[in-house]
Amino acid sequence: MNTEASQIYTQLQTLYRQLERLDQQGRIVMARDSLNRDFPDSKQAAATALQGIEQAINATCWMETLATTDGTYPPLGD
């Protein structure tokens, strides 16, 4: 598990590119059942998800992680 904000920032960028590629390739489909009322259209769902990830990228690019009092960066659990 990542312990530094800069690592999370990098992971978000990777996730954005991967999801964008899947969308561009037409490889995203949505569940077609009564539970999926919010995003029946895959293009709309992908666009919404990409906007959310982009917002997270923009926020985390300014974050830094402080070490613990003993100067380490211990792993974080889920």
Side-chain angles (χ1 to χ4, degrees):
M1 181 63 56
N2 288 331
T3 59
E4 296 188 38
S6 63
Q7 293 170 319
I8 294 169
Y9 170 73
T10 301
Q11 282 187 333
L12 287 168
Q13 290 176 312
T14 300
L15 289 171
Y16 184 94
R17 287 189 303 271
Q18 290 172 335
L19 184 59
E20 184 177 49
R21 224 170 321 171
L22 287 173
D23 183 41
Q24 290 170 346
Q25 294 173 2
R27 296 178 55 200
I28 298 173
V29 295
M30 304 306 292
R32 301 221 182 264
D33 61 26
S34 61
L35 298 177
N36 180 16
R37 294 186 183 129
D38 297 326
F39 296 103
D41 177 58
S42 62
K43 287 291 185 187
Q44 177 196 12
T48 301
L50 289 168
Q51 287 172 355
I53 296 169
E54 185 174 25
Q55 187 173 13
I57 289 169
N58 291 339
T60 56
C61 76
W62 301 109
M63 292 181 182
E64 295 187 26
T65 304
L66 297 176
T68 60
T69 55
D70 62 2
T72 62
Y73 296 89
L76 299 175
D78 290 341

